[in-house]
Amino acid sequence: MTPEQLLYRSAVELGTETRTSNATVVRTLQTLGYAGLAELKSAIARPFTDQTAPEVRARSRVEATKGDLPNVWEMVTAEWLDRIKLMRDGFSADAYRQAVELMLGAREIVPFGFGASFVVAEHLTFKLRRLGRRARTIRSSGFGLPDDLLGLERGDVVIAFDPGRMLIDLDVLLDRVRTVGAQCVLVTAELADQLKDAVSVVLIAPHSPTGLTGDAATAMVVADALIQGVAVSDVESTVESSHTLTTLRQQMGF
């Protein structure tokens, strides 16, 4: 079995192929220093992604499902569960607490993400506003990004969603954060070591090792945890904002 083929195998399948059990597979991986199969797949995925053309990866992904729709369902849901478990195993209560505290004390919270991560950033902004927090999403990239960066001020907290690509947009954003005296919470799969000294807090959102599930999926879980963390940390503001929102809806006839 090649490393690429391993990406698409579950612990149960590996147990069957090795004539052991899924529990034995997991224990063996832990003996080798991995938290579980999900962590091993993440380690394999990076060189596979870097060295293999997208169309080859797409073919491997499709062929791994064997054209069986129930199998597709099983593979996708299994990978979701694996990624959530990997994220929970690596959870840092201190980092999460620090991120929530920064958001509670922010003049304005500024989520940022590009590609699929933009959806997560928009979701975070929308929910924070419902909690009565001042928030805006950085909607631009490339040439338009500097216009959005002009609004950053001391006391702002940027929530940057970037699974693993160190693009010029993020580099310029972090430089602007430092310049104005703002702070940044980075939600990432792979940039923690590279950027830990450039941001205030790093929260890990593991990416998909196969492409079967969206990279923004675990970032959305992190966003929801941040939203609820802010809500429970300031109950009175949360309730007051909910009441105001209900009143305005009633005025609209809803």
Side-chain angles (χ1 to χ4, degrees):
M1 181 186 302
T2 66
E4 294 79 13
Q5 291 172 327
L6 180 60
L7 290 175
Y8 303 98
R9 295 290 202 280
S10 67
V12 173
E13 289 173 325
L14 290 174
T16 299
E17 293 178 15
T18 57
R19 297 181 180 180
T20 56
S21 67
N22 60 327
T24 299
V25 170
V26 172
R27 284 197 297 269
T28 300
L29 292 174
Q30 290 173 340
T31 300
L32 294 173
Y34 296 99
L37 184 56
E39 185 175 0
L40 175 61
K41 287 183 177 182
S42 294
I44 292 172
R46 170 48 63 187
F48 177 57
T49 301
D50 290 343
Q51 299 167 14
T52 309
E55 61 271 21
V56 175
R57 299 200 305 271
R59 179 177 292 278
S60 297
R61 183 165 57 247
V62 171
E63 290 179 345
T65 67
K66 303 174 184 177
D68 180 350
L69 290 181
N71 190 46
V72 171
W73 174 268
E74 177 60 31
M75 291 177 68
V76 170
T77 54
E79 183 170 293
W80 255 102
L81 293 172
D82 284 346
R83 290 176 65 189
I84 295 295
K85 183 179 185 305
L86 181 60
M87 182 164 61
R88 294 185 69 177
D89 289 344
F91 171 71
S92 169
D94 288 340
Y96 173 57
R97 185 180 301 106
Q98 186 178 355
V100 170
E101 289 174 351
L102 286 175
M103 294 170 72
L104 288 169
R107 184 195 74 91
E108 184 172 59
I109 302 170
V110 188
F112 165 79
F114 49 86
S117 296
F118 175 74
V119 177
V120 184
E122 281 277 70
H123 170 73
L124 180 56
T125 296
F126 177 73
K127 291 293 189 178
L128 287 172
R129 285 177 173 173
R130 282 192 168 186
L131 297 179
R133 297 288 158 178
R134 182 175 176 180
R136 69 177 176 95
T137 307
I138 291 182
R139 301 175 179 273
S140 304
S141 61
F143 184 78
L145 179 61
D147 289 288
D148 276 336
L149 297 185
L150 285 175
L152 280 180
E153 297 181 15
R154 176 179 294 276
D156 290 350
V157 175
V158 172
I159 313 294
F161 296 94
D162 186 341
R165 292 187 178 185
M166 187 59 200
L167 299 181
I168 185 64
D169 301 65
L170 181 60
D171 190 34
V172 172
L173 170 65
L174 293 179
D175 183 67
R176 183 62 180 168
V177 166
R178 289 190 294 270
T179 298
V180 302
Q183 298 193 71
C184 180
V185 175
L186 175 66
V187 182
T188 187
E190 298 182 2
L191 297 176
D193 290 339
Q194 184 176 349
L195 295 178
K196 62 184 179 182
D197 294 330
V199 299
S200 303
V201 187
V202 176
L203 297 174
I204 303 299
H207 62 60
S208 167
T210 64
L212 288 169
T213 55
D215 274 343
T218 45
M220 185 67 81
V221 176
V222 173
D224 282 338
L226 291 174
I227 292 162
Q228 296 307 318
V230 169
V232 303
S233 298
D234 192 351
V235 177
E236 293 306 316
S237 292
T238 298
V239 173
E240 181 180 352
S241 182
S242 178
H243 174 71
T244 301
L245 182 62
T246 299
T247 300
L248 291 171
R249 285 174 174 167
Q250 290 172 342
Q251 291 174 357
M252 296 289 294
F254 296 111

